[in-house]
């Protein structure tokens, strides 16, 4: 079955990517960011285009992201007051045992000499109403950026039209740890029309 979808989002949030996502339940082209292991849950082709948004001091002029089967690819054009460069993502998600999947992302940069960064994710969905995910981002703390370890759990207590998920993030920088949390809510009142939000 070939699934072809396309989405366009205008961005205005500071330091966060929109649309909202969770490492436990997001299984579309934005799994490149959320959890690459979730790419193995869908088939076909899907694309997202993100218009300018702010992320950690950078202005993302344009972002395009694609999912082709269990492969994900994305490209972004970013700038700050000193630099303008590209950031590229290549992700893969594969099933490893029954309802357990793993995945990885390689992220590299254009026009600057930063080193590639690597993420590793896992996700498990033992029942239709629960999903558990975890991700390690920037393994090895490349480019003087911190490594983060994230864990999330998603639930569908009233069926597939309503989803709630909670993520916990541990940021590790020079052996110092800091924690943050977020809650993701998704509601699909009509098939194909989805409302979602993220609380911090």
């Amino acid at each position: 079955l070939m699934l072809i979808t396309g989405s366009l989002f205008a961005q205005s949030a500071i330091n966060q990517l929109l649309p909202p996502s969770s490492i436990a339940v997001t299984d579309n082209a934005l799994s490149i960011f959320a959890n690459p292991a979730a790419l193995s849950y869908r088939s076909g082709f899907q694309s997202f285009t993100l218009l300018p948004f702010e992320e950690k001091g950078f202005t993302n002029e344009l972002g395009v992201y694609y999912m082709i089967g269990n492969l994900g690819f994305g490209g972004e054009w970013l700038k700050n007051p000193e630099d303008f460069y590209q950031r590229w993502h290549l992700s893969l998600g594969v099933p490893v045992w029954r309802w357990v999947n793993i995945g990885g992302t390689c992220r590299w940069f254009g026009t600057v000499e930063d080193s590639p960064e690597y993420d590793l994710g896992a996700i498990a969905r033992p029942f239709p109403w629960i999903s558990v995910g975890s991700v390690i981002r920037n393994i090895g703390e490349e480019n003087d950026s911190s490594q983060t370890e994230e864990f999330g759990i998603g639930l569908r207590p009233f069926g597939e039209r309503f989803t709630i998920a909670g993520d916990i993030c541990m940021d590790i920088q020079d052996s110092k740890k800091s924690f943050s949390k977020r809650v993701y809510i998704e509601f699909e009142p009509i098939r194909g029309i989805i409302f979602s939000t993220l609380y911090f």
Side-chain angles (χ1 to χ4, degrees), residues 55-72:
E55 182 191 5
K56 296 181 179 178
F58 291 87
T59 299
N60 188 325
E61 296 295 299
L62 177 66
V64 290
Y65 312 95
Y66 301 96
M67 182 184 71
I68 306 172
N70 62 344
L71 285 170

Side-chain angles (χ1 to χ4, degrees), residues 1 10 16 39 66 72 79-80 119 130 140 173 181 198 200:
L1 176 65
Q16 294 296 331
L39 288 167
Y66 301 96
K79 70 175 182 178
N80 65 12
D119 304 338
I130 187 170
Q173 180 75 52
K181 60 183 181 298
L198 200 63
F200 298 87

Side-chain angles (χ1 to χ4, degrees), residues 96-143:
V96 291
W97 179 76
R98 296 177 63 184
W99 32 263
V100 178
N101 299 343
I102 62 172
T105 295
C106 175
R107 186 167 48 254
W108 69 99
F109 306 86
T111 69
V112 293
E113 297 182 357
D114 286 353
S115 301
E117 299 175 355
Y118 300 93
D119 304 338
L120 181 64
I123 196 166
R125 293 180 176 174
F127 303 102
W129 51 269
I130 187 170
S131 180
V132 179
S134 63
V135 179
I136 302 175
R137 305 189 194 280
N138 192 21
I139 297 172
E141 299 185 8
E142 298 293 339
N143 305 314

